[in-house]
Amino acid sequence: MVITAAHVPAIVALIAGILILVMPRLLNFIVAIYLIFIGLVGMGLLRWLHM
């Protein structure tokens, strides 16, 4: 399976959801990282990852 830019948000959301279920205190940290990552992907700053 080839991971494309369309798959990245779904994979990150799945991992974040599982971590939140296991450790609810991580919610703020996970949401902050998710939002930063999605913002960087949206602005094209992670183009070096070939996404």
Side-chain angles (χ1 to χ4, degrees):
M1 177 173 97
V2 176
I3 297 177
T4 63
H7 293 116
V8 173
I11 293 169
V12 172
L14 181 62
I15 292 170
I18 291 169
L19 287 175
I20 290 168
L21 283 175
V22 174
M23 303 170 77
R25 288 183 175 183
L26 287 177
L27 179 60
N28 291 337
F29 185 67
I30 291 171
V31 169
I33 289 176
Y34 178 76
L35 290 174
I36 290 169
F37 183 77
I38 295 302
L40 292 174
V41 169
M43 292 189 313
L45 295 179
L46 296 180
R47 205 171 296 272
W48 57 273
L49 290 175
H50 302 291
M51 290 188 207

